Amino acid sequence: MKLFRAPLKFCLAVLVNALASASIAQAAEFPTVSEETHPFAQDTDALVGADTVSQGTEETDAMDRVSNVSQLRDVEPTDWAYEALRSLVERYGCISGYPDGTFRGNRALSRYEFAAGLNTCLQQIEKLIAASSADFVTKDDLGTLQRLIDEFGTELGALQGRVDTLEARTTQLEAHQFSTTTKLGGEVITYAGDAFGENASDVNNATLGHRTRIDFNTSFTGKDRLRTRFQITNLRQFDTGATFGGGPDPGLTGETRFTPSSVSQNNEARISQLEYRFPVGDKLKIYIEAGSIDPSYVTDTIAPFIDTSTGAISNFGQVNPVYFPLGNRAGIAANYALSEALSLDVGYFGEDAPNGPSNPGRDSGIFNGGYSAFAQLVYSGDRLKLGLLYLNSFSQAFGVDTLAGSNAAKVIDLTDPDGNPVVGNGYGAQVNYRFSPRFELGGWVGYTAARALGNIKGDADVWNYAVTLAFPDLGKKGNLGGIVLGMQPKLTGTSNRALAEAIGLPPGQRSDRDTGYHIEAFYKYQLTENISITPGFFWLTAPNHDERNPDAVIGVVRTSFVF
């Protein structure tokens, strides 16, 4: 395709302005140009300067029509085409600018773009003539118009052909689409990993596991969503090799869990999420849950690495563990917008246990069985995001288990086969600040006050904290670098010896013996729009919060396929 060579968007403005001025000078002696007499009369969204129909150019930004030339911040009164642009903007309204407020008058212009811009201005002229807002055109003016029509007839015909082709393709897609209301999505994540350390190397072998999800997202109104998610996974956690600390197996703690490896399914397909969400007015959104659920599905956790396919590689590095005192199934939640930047999120979920929401028996069901209920206040500014969380839980089966940290931090009765009911009150503060498009600093602190109510009574305190450093678009757009430094959930105290022993602590010990730290780094490299590879590691000092245990390092290469 031929391209004009100079600052030709300005040239086009001058030419079209001169043509428009001549065309509305006089028009009584001659008929107006009708839809039957020229191809420009067909409706088009192409405007002067529009790149939506250009060929041979990489500019594809959508543009907005302007009503005053002063809106174009790169056009100055000293520009040689300024008066022409002002006339086209103020008299005819057929000039558009880019979303950033520029006109970019000095870049090259294709003949297709010239034809599209000319077409729009001619339509404006016709409207002015038809409305008798101008006098009359002369035969010479109409001759000039016809010469331009003839000159760009090929390009205009090609434009119409492209529109017809797009319409045909759209019709074909609609006829063969999966569903008019349902979209199919999914992801496949593979983990290749191994554990290293003085003890960890002896009790682990390299593994290759996966988690696969298929989502059916259905909308009936365009604003609601029914999600049915099927999941298959075979992931296992590594053994830290620890021999000291709480629990019957001190090495098998929650510290080594991968992000999606909370529960292994032995490659059995399950419905892992069944959710319907819908808005009520402009400020309220309701979530109705029938499958597995946790607060992170319905509230902002203020964590930059929350995405299980592209975020942190460890369960702890993903999000504050205080959100997950127990497994949940079925419930209801809501988001209410207090203002543009402030929202209140609340939820009530049943416990995923034998006496859970689907069991109608005694001390069971969604209201008489175990549960967790939360409320979180979320502030989302341009750079700063802040969340304040309160969560209350009650479990007759599993106590308080955040799926991270030491064995003792789980606060589970390990001696009573009938379980020991535990109430948990969790408090969390999360923050993230975007210093620039390439760097974010954040973190969290979580505290759970647990109380045992059964045959063994007492109180226990569990703390955790982390600092996160995120580097979006590191190396190229779509990449992500991440660092997590923190302390996984640690039992810091119990009110009596009986509870400490029931939790699994050695005799005479009332809390975790020492403090271990979590050090994690990963780099997600975006290969294509749908495929990413993430190498990373996390280093555990003093596993099971006991310095007598040698350090353990978990190395992982995660590959994610998202569609």
Side-chain angles (χ1 to χ4, degrees):
M1 176 173 301
K2 298 179 181 178
L3 289 175
F4 300 110
R5 292 294 179 190
L8 292 182
K9 290 185 75 177
F10 279 138
C11 293
L12 173 60
V14 174
L15 176 59
V16 174
N17 181 55
L19 173 61
S21 298
S23 299
I24 64 172
Q26 294 183 357
E29 303 175 22
F30 303 97
T32 58
V33 183
S34 67
E35 292 185 0
E36 287 76 19
T37 57
H38 69 80
F40 289 143
Q42 300 180 32
D43 184 29
T44 176
D45 290 331
L47 306 175
V48 170
D51 291 325
T52 55
V53 293
S54 81
Q55 296 183 4
T57 176
E58 295 180 355
E59 302 284 357
T60 58
D61 298 355
M63 293 174 288
D64 302 317
R65 192 169 301 194
V66 297
S67 58
N68 192 298
V69 73
S70 62
Q71 294 177 247
L72 302 170
R73 57 186 177 85
D74 62 340
V75 176
E76 301 293 338
T78 54
D79 290 330
W80 62 275
Y82 179 80
E83 291 300 327
L85 280 171
R86 187 175 68 173
S87 178
L88 288 173
V89 169
E90 297 177 359
R91 295 178 61 186
Y92 308 115
C94 58
I95 288 288
S96 290
Y98 286 87
D100 62 359
T102 61
F103 181 65
R104 305 181 193 177
N106 289 319
R107 78 164 187 81
L109 181 73
S110 72
R111 290 172 63 87
Y112 279 116
E113 292 177 289
F114 184 94
L118 179 63
N119 184 27
T120 301
C121 284
L122 286 175
Q123 289 179 350
Q124 292 296 98
I125 293 170
E126 287 178 358
K127 291 178 182 178
L128 291 173
I129 294 174
S132 298
S133 59
D135 292 329
F136 303 100
V137 296
T138 67
K139 182 177 289 187
D140 290 339
D141 294 333
L142 290 177
T144 302
L145 284 172
Q146 190 60 50
R147 284 195 300 273
L148 285 170
I149 291 170
D150 294 340
E151 173 68 17
F152 290 96
T154 302
E155 284 77 8
L156 289 167
L159 285 175
Q160 183 60 42
R162 294 173 67 184
V163 171
D164 293 341
T165 300
L166 286 173
E167 289 179 347
R169 292 179 63 185
T170 300
T171 300
Q172 183 180 16
L173 287 173
E174 290 177 346
H176 295 85
Q177 63 182 325
F178 172 74
S179 169
T180 56
T181 58
T182 301
K183 293 183 178 180
L184 176 66
E187 63 183 27
V188 177
I189 305 174
T190 65
Y191 276 75
D194 203 349
F196 307 92
E198 184 178 334
N199 290 350
S201 297
D202 296 334
V203 294
N204 294 285
N205 292 301
T207 63
L208 178 62
H210 78 95
R211 188 198 67 185
T212 301
R213 285 176 169 175
I214 299 294
D215 291 344
F216 296 90
N217 297 313
T218 303
S219 180
F220 305 102
T221 67
K223 295 182 179 180
D224 63 338
R225 187 189 73 183
L226 172 65
R227 168 171 286 178
T228 305
R229 170 175 288 171
F230 294 87
Q231 176 172 292
I232 304 173
T233 183
N234 65 351
L235 291 173
R236 296 287 195 278
Q237 64 184 98
F238 286 105
D239 192 318
T240 65
T243 56
F244 297 97
D249 185 351
L252 199 60
T253 70
E255 297 166 301
T256 61
R257 289 184 182 272
F258 295 148
T259 297
S261 63
S262 296
V263 179
S264 179
Q265 298 172 197
N266 297 316
N267 278 325
E268 296 177 356
R270 298 181 183 177
I271 296 180
S272 67
Q273 186 182 10
L274 185 57
E275 173 193 85
Y276 181 60
R277 69 184 190 190
F278 57 92
V280 178
D282 297 330
K283 294 186 176 182
L284 182 64
K285 181 183 291 184
I286 303 295
Y287 301 79
I288 299 176
E289 309 289 344
S292 298
I293 186 63
D294 62 62
S296 69
Y297 282 76
V298 297
T299 189
D300 190 345
T301 59
I302 322 294
F305 308 138
I306 182 68
D307 193 306
T308 58
S309 61
T310 60
I313 58 175
S314 73
N315 184 62
F316 174 71
Q318 177 192 6
V319 64
N320 189 342
V322 78
Y323 284 97
F324 316 108
L326 47 83
N328 292 121
R329 180 173 296 276
I332 187 169
N335 308 135
Y336 183 76
L338 299 174
S339 68
E340 186 175 347
L342 194 65
S343 70
L344 177 64
D345 304 335
V346 297
Y348 177 94
F349 308 128
E351 183 179 20
D352 189 3
N355 62 336
S358 62
N359 187 341
R362 183 173 178 271
D363 295 330
S364 300
I366 192 167
F367 295 113
N368 291 331
Y371 71 87
S372 66
F374 78 92
Q376 178 168 247
L377 193 64
V378 179
Y379 172 79
S380 299
D382 292 336
R383 292 175 176 266
L384 176 66
K385 297 180 71 175
L386 176 67
L388 299 175
L389 170 76
Y390 170 71
L391 190 149
N392 175 262
S393 64
F394 172 74
S395 173
Q396 301 182 75
F398 299 115
V400 174
D401 184 0
T402 60
L403 301 177
S406 66
N407 282 326
K410 297 178 181 179
V411 193
I412 297 175
D413 179 6
L414 302 176
T415 62
D416 186 350
D418 296 326
N420 197 50
V422 176
V423 171
N425 288 289
Y427 307 86
Q430 297 72 229
V431 64
N432 194 69
Y433 187 80
R434 179 171 55 84
F435 285 89
S436 73
R438 299 297 180 89
F439 177 63
E440 299 177 13
L441 177 64
W444 66 74
V445 60
Y447 166 65
T448 299
R451 172 166 291 181
L453 302 175
N455 297 327
I456 301 173
K457 295 179 173 59
D459 297 323
D461 299 322
V462 178
W463 286 87
N464 86 92
Y465 58 81
V467 175
T468 61
L469 295 87
F471 304 89
D473 298 332
L474 182 61
K476 75 168 188 175
K477 186 175 181 180
N479 292 355
L480 175 65
I483 297 174
V484 181
L485 308 171
M487 180 188 76
Q488 292 208 30
K490 172 186 174 181
L491 180 68
T492 60
T494 52
S495 61
N496 59 71
R497 184 180 64 184
L499 177 61
E501 291 180 356
I503 289 173
L505 288 173
Q509 190 172 316
R510 300 275 288 273
S511 65
D512 280 320
R513 183 174 186 271
D514 301 299
T515 299
Y517 296 101
H518 177 105
I519 303 167
E520 178 173 348
F522 66 91
Y523 180 63
K524 184 202 74 169
Y525 183 80
Q526 197 70 36
L527 284 176
T528 70
E529 182 180 356
N530 304 102
I531 304 174
S532 64
I533 295 179
T534 308
F537 72 91
F538 53 101
W539 171 21
L540 303 172
T541 71
N544 209 18
H545 289 304
D546 195 316
E547 291 182 351
R548 293 173 294 180
N549 297 316
D551 293 1
V553 177
I554 312 299
V556 173
V557 177
R558 178 184 66 203
T559 304
S560 303
F561 305 85
V562 181
F563 60 92

